[in-house]
Amino acid sequence: MVGRIIALVSCIMCAVPFFIISTYGKDSFEPINFWSGDTTLKSKVKNIREYNENMAEMYKKCAVAFLFTGIGFVVVPILGIVMLCLDCTVGIFVVYRKYKKILSRYS
């Protein structure tokens, strides 16, 4: 049972930064970064408000995915392991593709 709780807490620790980014970045005057330290977005993004709304929604979905993964660990540990592997492989690819689509829409 301790392992399940540790996995849940770890997934919550992964989800919290995504929730923070989505909450505080949505109303920001600066574009939400996908890559850390990317300073070129301000010149690329034309409609920052709508771009930030879409990025915040994407980050919120990432946070929810990690929360469900943590719950999966508590319910059935093997389910949590599978969900975590999917979050960290296929999920990252899907999020990257979504980011590129959002960036191209508002560039």
Side-chain angles (χ1 to χ4, degrees):
M1 187 64 179
V2 173
R4 294 178 184 192
I5 294 171
I6 291 171
L8 173 66
V9 170
S10 297
C11 288
I12 289 172
M13 288 172 55
C14 290
V16 167
F18 289 126
F19 272 129
I20 291 171
I21 291 170
S22 69
T23 302
Y24 292 108
K26 181 174 52 174
D27 299 324
S28 176
F29 296 111
E30 298 286 324
I32 296 175
N33 291 336
F34 183 77
W35 301 109
S36 177
D38 187 5
T39 58
T40 63
L41 280 180
K42 196 160 189 166
S43 63
K44 290 181 185 176
V45 177
K46 303 300 180 210
N47 189 344
I48 294 175
R49 187 181 62 78
E50 289 182 19
Y51 169 83
N52 281 348
E53 287 176 4
N54 283 311
M55 289 294 289
E57 185 66 30
M58 182 183 72
Y59 277 125
K60 195 176 294 181
K61 288 178 182 177
C62 290
V64 169
F66 274 107
L67 286 178
F68 282 141
T69 300
I71 293 169
F73 269 112
V74 172
V75 175
V76 180
I78 193 71
L79 175 66
I81 292 169
V82 169
M83 290 172 69
L84 186 63
C85 289
L86 290 174
D87 285 348
C88 294
T89 55
V90 176
I92 291 174
F93 177 74
V94 169
V95 167
Y96 175 72
R97 297 290 299 204
K98 176 88 174 161
Y99 162 71
K100 294 302 272 183
K101 186 183 288 186
I102 291 170
L103 184 61
S104 68
R105 187 181 314 146
Y106 295 107
S107 292

